[in-house]
């Protein structure tokens, strides 16, 4: 549900991943040659430095950032409706 304290995108066709991908492509200035998640006018990356920059930024966004940081960083709203998947695996600290 879209609320002021928890905004989300209500459009069914909206792709959160495409939004984040497009923002990273814009930031890096090129897109990886192996994927075309978001339609952009940016060229394919033609050197390893740019590819590494893209991969590091993309990985950082998926692994490290929480919802509020993602919104502040990329200005992409999370979708109001989505499927959440989990592994059911619980971790415990080694002592």
């Amino acid at each position: 549900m879209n609320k002021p304290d928890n905004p989300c995108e209500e459009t069914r066709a909206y792709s959160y991943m495409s939004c984040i991908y497009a923002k990273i492509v814009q930031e890096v200035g090129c897109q990886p040659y192996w994927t075309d998640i978001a339609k952009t006018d940016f060229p394919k990356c033609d050197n390893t430095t740019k590819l590494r920059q893209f991969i590091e930024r993309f990985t950082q966004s998926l692994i490290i950032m929480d919802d509020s940081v993602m919104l502040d960083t990329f200005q992409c709203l999370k979708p109001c409706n989505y499927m959440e998947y989990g592994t059911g695996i619980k971790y415990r600290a080694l002592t």
Side-chain angles (χ1 to χ4, degrees), residues 62-74:
L62 295 176
I63 296 173
I64 300 170
M65 296 181 182
D66 64 17
D67 288 348
S68 63
V69 174
M70 292 284 277
L71 180 58
D72 290 342
T73 303
F74 299 113

Side-chain angles (χ1 to χ4, degrees), residues 23-70:
K23 300 290 182 155
I24 295 172
V25 166
Q26 184 177 10
E27 182 181 308
V28 174
C30 63
Q31 57 186 330
Y33 61 85
W34 62 82
T35 186
D36 194 18
I37 294 174
K39 302 293 183 206
T40 70
D41 293 331
F42 286 91
K44 302 293 184 186
C45 296
D46 60 1
N47 66 63
T48 56
T49 302
K50 289 288 189 178
L51 282 172
R52 184 178 295 115
Q53 185 180 358
F54 179 91
I55 291 167
E56 287 173 357
R57 189 70 165 132
F58 194 73
T59 303
Q60 177 189 36
S61 70
L62 295 176
I63 296 173
I64 300 170
M65 296 181 182
D66 64 17
D67 288 348
S68 63
V69 174
M70 292 284 277

